[in-house]
Structures are given as structure tokens and as C-alpha cells.
């Protein structure tokens, strides 16, 4: 489906879970897409639990841009998408998340979206080689519990455990989390189980 945002159309791929007990909304990083191995593994794990999964290709990517532009504009477009999805699946607990830049968006907008929690895959703590430009404040400011799954070889850094409700660091993984995506799915499934009772 397509959802019009103030920044142009966003594309949403939806897989409805059989139990329809949770709405999980995921998005990509700056230059990637919603078919990244870790996002697909999380989708499969969540579907196996009966969740409905929406993978959002943000408006800037639909328009062909490789960079999201100002955070305020990206967040505004994201919240428009979330509003539409919540209207289509009312009453379901919302967990939102994404990988890399998408994890940042999910953290920044969690409170405004009414999310129960956030799944942050490969959270980019800082630009490569620039640890002084930390984005830990986005994790701390989410206002809801955040699960962070990062690789120990991520050049964007690994957040501190104190900055998230749960931090899982996967050995041997880089920023793409593609060595063992099924493990990423397992970790997220354990996190989602708390919202499914």
C-alpha cells in the first residue's frame, strides 16, 4: 500500500499475522531497503508469533534519495505513516523499529507514535571514526523501553547498556547484521513476547 506523507508517498508492505495481537512497524536505514536480511528475519519471527508486520519504505527512499534529510521532516513523515497504520489496526499494541537510521527514527518518534516499545537494530551510535558525535541521547530520550541489537564489529559503535532497556551485542557481526539474521529474529521475538502476554 502507499501512504501519502508531507514528504511524498511512503510504501508499506504488510503481512497480517494470524492472531493479530500486535502491530510491528519496521523501516530501513539511510541507503538500504526493507528487504535487509535482519528486517526479514524479524518479520518472520514476528509473524510466527501472530503479529502483523508492516515494513515501511520511507518517502525519501521512494523518491530515490539516499539521505533522509532533516530529522524533523523525516519524523513528520514517519508519524503520518504510523497514524494511518494505527487507524487500520486499531487497538493493537504498537512496537516500532528499524535498522540504523530507521532505529533512530523509531526512537525519536516513539512517544509521539504511542509505541509500547522500540526495536533498534544496528543503532548507529556515532558516525564511523567520530565517537564524540554520540547519538545516545536518542536512545535515552525514546520515552519507552528500547531493545538494541548491535554487532560487536559495527564501525558506528555499540551503545552502552545503560542507554537501553536491553542491549544484545552479537559477536562477529558488523553494521549489516547479516551473518546470522535468524539470531536477530530470535532476540526480537523474545522482546515481542512481553507485549503478547
Amino acid at each position: 500500500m502507499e501512504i501519502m506523507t508531507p514528504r511524498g508517498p511512503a510504501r508499506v508492505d504488510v503481512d497480517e499475522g494470524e492472531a493479530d495481537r500486535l502491530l510491528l512497524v519496521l523501516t530501513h536505514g539511510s541507503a538500504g531497503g526493507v528487504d535487509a536480511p535482519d528486517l526479514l528475519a524479524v518479520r518472520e519471527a514476528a509473524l510466527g508469533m501472530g503479529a502483523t508486520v508492516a515494513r515501511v519504505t520511507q518517502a525519501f527512499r521512494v523518491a530515490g534519495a539516499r539521505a533522509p534529510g532533516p530529522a524533523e521532516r523525516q519524523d513528520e513523515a514517519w508519524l503520518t505513516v504510523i497514524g494511518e497504520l494505527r487507524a487500520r489496526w486499531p487497538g493493537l499494541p504498537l512496537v516500532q523499529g528499524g535498522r540504523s537510521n530507521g532505529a533512530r527514527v523509531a526512537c525519536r518518534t516513539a512517544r509521539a507514535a504511542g509505541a509500547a516499545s522500540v526495536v533498534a537494530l544496528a543503532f548507529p551510535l556515532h558516525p564511523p571514526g567520530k565517537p564524540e558525535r554520540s547519538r545516545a541521547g536518542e536512545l535515552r530520550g525514546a520515552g519507552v523501553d528500547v531493545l538494541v541489537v548491535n554487532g560487536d564489529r559495527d564501525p558506528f559503535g555499540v551503545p552502552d547498556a545503560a542507554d537501553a532497556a536491553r542491549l544484545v551485542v552479537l559477536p562477529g557481526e558488523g553494521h549489516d547484521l547479516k551473518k546470522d539474521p535468524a539470531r536477530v529474529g530470535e532476540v526480537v521475538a523474545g522482546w515481542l513476547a512481553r507485549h503478547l502476554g
Side-chain angles (χ1 to χ4, degrees):
M1 80 174 74
E2 210 170 73
I3 296 176
M4 185 55 68
T5 80
R7 304 297 156 204
R11 190 170 55 248
V12 184
D13 296 297
V14 178
D15 295 287
E16 291 201 60
E18 291 180 15
D20 213 23
R21 299 162 63 199
L22 174 80
L23 176 60
L24 174 63
V25 185
L26 300 168
T27 193
H28 50 79
S30 290
V34 294
D35 291 329
D38 55 348
L39 292 178
L40 292 178
V42 169
R43 177 193 71 175
E44 290 307 309
L47 286 172
M49 302 173 73
T52 291
V53 183
R55 291 174 298 134
V56 178
T57 302
Q58 295 178 63
F60 78 90
R61 291 293 290 148
V62 173
R66 289 185 62 81
E72 299 79 21
R73 291 181 181 177
Q74 188 182 19
D75 294 354
E76 177 187 33
W78 176 257
L79 287 170
T80 300
V81 171
I82 292 295
E84 287 283 329
L85 293 175
R86 295 205 80 174
R88 288 175 190 248
W89 286 276
L92 293 185
L94 167 69
V95 175
Q96 65 177 19
R99 63 166 288 101
S100 193
N101 174 266
R104 295 181 65 197
V105 174
C107 287
R108 289 195 307 257
T109 62
R111 232 185 305 223
S117 73
V118 169
V119 172
L121 307 176
F123 186 88
L125 182 63
H126 56 71
K130 298 183 178 178
E132 71 280 0
R133 291 179 51 194
S134 174
R135 299 165 178 143
E138 292 179 351
L139 283 172
R140 292 190 293 262
V144 300
D145 285 348
V146 180
L147 165 68
V148 176
V149 183
N150 271 56
D152 67 350
R153 297 182 181 178
D154 193 331
F156 290 85
V158 177
D160 191 289
D163 292 330
R166 181 159 188 236
L167 171 67
V168 177
V169 181
L170 301 177
E173 289 279 8
H175 192 63
D176 52 18
L177 296 175
K178 69 179 184 182
K179 283 192 173 184
D180 188 3
R183 177 69 184 125
V184 177
E186 289 170 12
V187 170
V188 174
W191 177 259
L192 296 179
R194 59 190 275 183
H195 298 291
L196 296 173

